[in-house]
Amino acid sequence: MRQFLLQLCLVATSILHAQIPSYYNGLNLNQTGSALKSDLAQLISQTHTTQITYNTVWSVLQKADLDPSNPSDTIVLLLYGYNDLDALTINDRTRSKNLPCNFTGNCNGYWNREHMYAQSLGTPPLATDPPGTGTDAHNLRACDVQMNSTRNNRKYTDGSGTSGQIGQDFYPGDEWKGDVARAVMYMFLRYNTQCLPINVGAGSTTFSTEIPDIFLEWNAEDPVSQLEQNRNDTIYNYQGNRNPFVDNPYLATLIWTGPTAQNFWNLDGSDIIRDATFSEPELIPYLSYQENADLTLTNSLATGTFLVRDGGQNGDADNLPTTVTRLDFQLTNSTAIRRVALFAGNAEIGEVNVNGQNISFTNLNVQVADNDSTSLTLRASFTTNVADYQQIGFQVIYVVTAANGSSMSFSNGGGASTSTTGNKNKLNVIATGLSFTVAPSNVLTHTPMAPAIVLACNDAAGNVDVDYTQSVVLSATMNLGAAAVGTITPANGLATFANIQFDESNRSVTLFASSGTLIPAESSNFSVSEILLGWDLTGLTNYGPSPYGPSTNAVGFLSDGWTRGTGITTGGTAGLNAWGGNGMISTSASAAITAQDIVSFTGTVPSGKVLYSKAFRPYNIRVSSSGATSGQWQYRINGGAFVDLGPVVSWGNNFTSSGNMQSEITLSNISALQGLASGTSVTFRIILWGATTTSGNWYLNAFQAGDDVMYEGFWERGSQATDHFRTKNSGVWDNAVNWESSSDGISWYAATLFPGVMAQSIKIRNGHMTQVTNSQSASHLTAEIGATLLVVTGGNLLIQE
């Protein structure tokens, strides 16, 4: 509470120069962190010898909360209050001590007992009957009844000015925030996990995961007042224990670090504090500071300035200077920092590489005149791999001074640290381009890509700009499917496209991403295939019909379905959910062909399409113990000869209904099954042999939901004379393999004919050379810069419009 420090400067001075109270005799003040916290907690618990009742609290507050500036001793100060001059009572700062709300009825204009650590936020809640956590007077303050109701059990949050609700939280006001912070810290030490600071305070926990930053900041920003000191003494007389953070706020700094608070003890020691006149840089353009050898005033950035003070806040009487010979810092987010240099004015006095959380400047000779101070500045360069809005920080953790001068109050010089307010010392990633962090993969038509495609909004170093929110648009070398969502607003700098799918197949597709002025991104090629023919075997009985037509049939792909050869019989009892037969007792593939122990299907490429085969997906074969043991897949084009597809297959020896899984049959490496033109028929068959009895069964077996046998591939559109054409490769004009065609200029396919006079447009692309070897007629021909059109001897190109 800062107001009384100004009003009562003489009293405050006596506080600042107080000696360590005998209450703390035996406490090791050279400790820091959890060790000091543990010892203080033990001290205030063991000395809390009297548990006052909740009713007694009224009389305690009538004494403890008296206004030190009012000599009548009849006025109490009201926590959160700030105005006695208007007509409102809710914001009153003072009130008669004889107006406590200790009765039933309307209490407007009265005061009651405010728990700074809200009762209901304790785990378990703070109890008042019997006396205990809820009756500890160090946590109770006089407060206007209506203001108390407004605060309710809202968490404290940061703000400025007078008290009031902020969102769902509550700001106690500039005058009272230090009081609140020191009460919350006391309750944490006294009652441990029942009164966790994170349950009663909002905001980040940068300095320590145990306590929100606001309490450590308020403890430093709002000095201890005469009221707090009076309260501490009064409550000590009732309960037997004290609030250590009122006696010395600096104890909080020693335990949890954070901003350097008032240090009422060890006044003869020197210290180091953050220079309040220095403003840490905000949203650092870290790529501008990449020096890795020798930092200067121009290639590095000032990130923190500290004052070394001989004799600390109030000076000392030893007539000696302070000479710093070593200074160590602990770094926050050290992986973002490359090098750090220590400067005194414009002169560098030390420089180190950053290889971990701590850095040390040794062999220093920083001299501070008696009762004077000197300024030291940390300058840094940065690594390229950082996180957007990553906040770096520097905290003094160890100081060595020369033996012939003044020493430090504590080994860490007070533990001063750079500011963490707002955007100070935060690195700023500004996106300049897009990149695929999850690239597209091969996919089936009408099926969303999995995993989802993710694009990052990156800067030149590849770091993600988390606050980039301009829409990212995804397009492809073919039309996206009707169900695809091709425009996404990034979240945390990432644009996730969870429903990219296509309605047509294509062997080679590329995605393009763009967003405003960012450098666009292009994906690697992938394929979009489709199930050309598929058979669902679920529900079949009595070996299934022959032919058995497909349950999935690509548009226009004509097929009679799986058909049994004349040598295959269907006698005896058949398995369920399977298609097949028996009688396959031939002892070789040739004998099985003669006996027509085969199953097959034929498909015919529809008009205007070109077929590229990819695979037969994994399938399942069920056999009985005397059924066919071997098989051979074959194919033929139109009425040509059958060609083996891979080696002979042994169907397996699992004779149950679960059958035997078979590997995928790759077709994409068989040139004869690629680029099949309209009207071409392709037949696939399986030759079967090795059954030991004519009743031995063999089946294509159901093993999953949906189709069980699937012929996968690509339909591509056959070129039309009226298409757009562009070169795919260098080569001769009259060879379709050197061209791509498109009906709309958006989705491109390998051409099945070369361009002629009917073409909508013809483009020879950059870097390609096209030769005209025969007489050709063309229209709307353009050549990009870097392209070449060569008419060779005997050639003749007639351009028509």
Side-chain angles (χ1 to χ4, degrees):
M1 178 177 130
R2 65 166 57 91
Q3 179 159 340
F4 291 107
L5 193 65
L6 300 176
Q7 291 179 339
L8 300 175
C9 58
L10 293 177
V11 177
T13 301
S14 68
I15 295 174
L16 291 173
H17 288 85
Q19 298 301 309
I20 302 174
S22 59
Y23 178 79
Y24 298 97
N25 286 352
L27 185 69
N28 182 1
L29 290 175
N30 290 319
Q31 298 180 110
T32 59
S34 59
L36 179 59
K37 171 189 164 190
S38 177
D39 282 2
L40 279 173
Q42 183 177 17
L43 174 65
I44 64 176
S45 297
Q46 290 178 344
T47 56
H48 192 172
T49 55
T50 301
Q51 298 283 350
I52 60 176
T53 67
Y54 202 35
N55 188 57
T56 303
V57 168
W58 292 112
S59 58
V60 173
L61 297 185
Q62 284 176 318
K63 296 177 182 178
D65 288 0
L66 287 172
D67 182 354
S69 66
N70 191 309
S72 68
D73 287 342
T74 60
I75 301 297
V76 291
L77 285 170
L78 302 181
L79 186 68
Y80 314 140
Y82 54 87
N83 190 344
D84 287 334
L85 302 179
D86 60 17
L88 300 176
T89 57
I90 187 174
N91 60 5
D92 282 356
R93 187 171 172 276
T94 62
R95 188 157 298 158
S96 169
K97 72 175 184 180
N98 297 318
L99 292 176
C101 178
N102 56 2
F103 56 88
T104 302
N106 187 343
C107 280
N108 288 353
Y110 289 77
W111 60 269
N112 61 4
R113 301 160 295 188
E114 157 71 335
H115 290 83
M116 287 176 280
Y117 195 108
Q119 284 181 272
S120 63
L121 298 182
T123 50
L126 312 186
T128 58
D129 187 18
T133 51
T135 67
D136 192 322
H138 285 297
N139 185 45
L140 290 160
R141 290 288 288 268
C143 181
D144 175 79
V145 169
Q146 291 173 283
M147 182 66 80
N148 192 339
S149 178
T150 298
R151 188 272 162 124
N152 199 355
N153 66 347
R154 292 181 171 86
K155 284 188 174 184
Y156 293 114
T157 191
D158 205 8
S160 62
T162 56
S163 63
Q165 185 175 342
I166 299 178
Q168 297 301 312
D169 300 322
F170 186 81
Y171 178 60
D174 293 351
E175 183 177 353
W176 309 106
K177 62 184 182 181
D179 308 45
V180 166
R182 289 179 278 274
V184 169
M185 293 187 289
Y186 162 85
M187 291 295 283
F188 180 34
L189 263 62
R190 176 63 184 87
Y191 301 107
N192 198 4
T193 57
Q194 185 177 3
C195 294
L196 294 174
I198 57 176
N199 289 347
V200 76
S204 59
T205 53
T206 305
F207 307 119
S208 169
T209 56
E210 290 186 337
I211 185 167
D213 294 348
I214 55 172
F215 295 134
L216 297 172
E217 291 166 349
W218 292 352
N219 180 48
E221 294 167 355
D222 180 17
V224 172
S225 67
Q226 187 64 47
L227 171 67
E228 288 181 88
Q229 187 70 21
N230 292 349
R231 279 179 48 82
N232 208 17
D233 293 339
T234 301
I235 296 168
Y236 170 59
N237 291 331
Y238 275 92
Q239 294 187 174
N241 68 345
R242 304 183 65 83
N243 183 338
F245 304 106
V246 171
D247 284 329
N248 192 0
Y250 188 65
L251 294 171
T253 308
L254 293 176
I255 295 173
W256 296 293
T257 73
T260 304
Q262 291 170 292
N263 183 3
F264 294 156
W265 306 338
N266 296 304
L267 297 178
D268 287 337
S270 301
D271 65 9
I272 299 176
I273 64 169
R274 173 182 171 270
D275 185 350
T277 65
F278 175 78
S279 183
E280 287 82 352
E282 298 188 6
L283 302 179
I284 297 171
Y286 65 98
L287 288 176
S288 299
Y289 303 98
Q290 293 290 303
E291 178 60 44
N292 62 4
D294 183 21
L295 300 189
T296 67
L297 294 173
T298 57
N299 66 15
S300 64
L301 183 68
T303 55
T305 299
F306 297 86
L307 295 178
V308 182
R309 305 189 301 187
D310 178 76
Q313 177 176 343
N314 302 289
D316 56 29
D318 60 12
N319 296 319
L320 294 173
T322 298
T323 302
V324 176
T325 60
R326 174 176 171 176
L327 187 53
D328 293 5
F329 293 88
Q330 184 177 81
L331 279 53
T332 302
N333 290 320
S334 60
T335 57
I337 307 171
R338 189 186 300 274
R339 286 178 72 81
V340 179
L342 188 65
F343 278 73
N346 292 332
E348 181 185 294
I349 59 175
E351 184 169 332
V352 293
N353 274 321
V354 176
N355 297 312
Q357 188 178 9
N358 298 337
I359 58 174
S360 179
F361 295 100
T362 58
N363 300 318
L364 300 177
N365 185 27
V366 178
Q367 295 186 350
V368 184
D370 186 43
N371 293 331
D372 200 354
S373 65
T374 194
S375 176
L376 298 176
T377 296
L378 291 171
R379 302 189 67 91
S381 64
F382 306 94
T383 57
T384 55
N385 185 19
V386 305
D388 198 12
Y389 285 159
Q390 188 173 17
Q391 188 170 45
I392 62 170
F394 301 86
Q395 181 179 13
V396 181
I397 57 172
Y398 186 63
V399 188
V400 176
T401 56
N404 60 352
S406 297
S407 61
M408 290 283 159
S409 297
F410 295 97
S411 61
N412 65 352
S417 61
T418 53
S419 173
T420 59
T421 302
N423 290 322
K424 291 188 175 183
N425 271 342
K426 284 185 178 177
L427 307 181
N428 191 24
V429 176
I430 300 177
T432 57
L434 296 169
S435 66
F436 285 89
T437 60
V438 179
S441 53
N442 297 338
V443 68
L444 281 171
T445 53
H446 308 288
T447 304
M449 284 188 178
I453 296 167
V454 180
L455 281 123
C457 308
N458 297 327
D459 66 5
N463 299 310
V464 178
D465 183 354
V466 299
D467 58 346
Y468 185 86
T469 57
Q470 189 167 344
S471 294
V472 177
V473 179
L474 208 60
S475 60
T477 49
M478 63 182 293
N479 290 321
L480 298 179
V485 178
T487 301
I488 292 293
T489 300
N492 295 318
L494 299 176
T496 301
F497 293 84
N499 194 24
I500 294 302
Q501 53 185 295
F502 298 86
D503 298 338
E504 301 177 73
S505 57
N506 197 315
R507 288 173 298 148
S508 181
V509 184
T510 304
L511 291 180
F512 303 96
S514 61
S515 180
T517 60
L518 298 189
I519 299 170
E522 180 177 335
S523 76
S524 56
N525 292 342
F526 60 95
S527 66
V528 181
S529 58
E530 61 182 300
I531 302 303
L532 304 173
L533 296 171
W535 287 267
D536 186 352
L537 306 176
T538 302
L540 292 182
T541 60
N542 198 29
Y543 299 103
S546 178
Y548 176 46
S551 47
T552 297
N553 199 162
V555 176
F557 195 17
L558 305 177
S559 176
D560 52 2
W562 282 102
T563 303
R564 286 185 281 266
T566 56
I568 295 181
T569 58
T570 55
T573 302
L576 299 177
N577 304 314
W579 184 92
N582 47 37
M584 308 159 197
I585 59 173
S586 299
T587 57
S588 67
S590 58
I593 294 172
T594 301
Q596 284 296 288
D597 290 341
I598 59 176
V599 294
S600 65
F601 73 87
T602 299
T604 303
V605 181
S607 175
K609 299 287 187 179
V610 179
L611 170 63
Y612 293 83
S613 300
K614 182 179 181 183
F616 279 103
R617 290 202 160 193
Y619 60 103
N620 190 283
I621 297 296
R622 177 181 174 185
V623 292
S624 65
S625 59
S626 59
T629 58
S630 301
Q632 174 68 63
W633 279 84
Q634 294 183 327
Y635 73 92
R636 74 175 178 183
I637 306 301
N638 292 324
F642 278 99
V643 180
D644 286 349
L645 272 177
V648 172
V649 182
S650 296
W651 301 118
N653 55 12
N654 183 356
F655 307 125
T656 69
S657 60
S658 61
N660 303 272
M661 285 303 302
Q662 308 297 318
S663 299
E664 178 173 289
I665 302 173
T666 301
L667 305 176
S668 57
N669 58 357
I670 301 175
S671 59
L673 294 175
Q674 311 306 313
L676 302 181
S678 172
T680 303
S681 66
V682 56
T683 300
F684 294 95
R685 74 180 183 181
I686 309 174
I687 307 166
L688 298 159
W689 69 93
T692 56
T693 67
T694 57
S695 60
N697 293 329
W698 175 96
Y699 309 94
L700 295 169
N701 192 38
F703 70 98
Q704 62 183 6
D707 292 339
D708 301 291
V709 181
M710 290 175 280
Y711 173 35
E712 182 180 1
F714 310 91
W715 286 134
E716 291 190 359
R717 177 180 173 276
S719 302
Q720 306 296 314
T722 55
D723 278 355
H724 299 272
F725 289 86
R726 69 184 187 186
T727 55
K728 180 180 180 182
N729 305 295
S730 295
V732 297
W733 183 287
D734 51 339
N735 189 340
V737 73
N738 298 320
W739 298 90
E740 293 178 313
S741 66
S742 170
S743 63
D744 56 10
I746 299 174
S747 297
W748 292 88
Y749 302 90
T752 55
L753 55 85
F754 52 88
V757 71
M758 299 295 292
Q760 292 187 55
S761 68
I762 304 168
K763 180 179 290 186
I764 304 175
R765 302 176 74 187
N766 182 13
H768 293 170
M769 174 186 290
T770 298
Q771 300 181 30
V772 180
T773 58
N774 296 306
S775 296
Q776 305 291 349
S777 295
S779 64
H780 303 93
L781 173 66
T782 60
E784 294 181 342
I785 296 174
T788 304
L789 176 64
L790 178 63
V791 180
V792 300
T793 302
N796 181 26
L797 178 64
L798 177 63
I799 306 297
Q800 298 182 358
E801 288 294 335

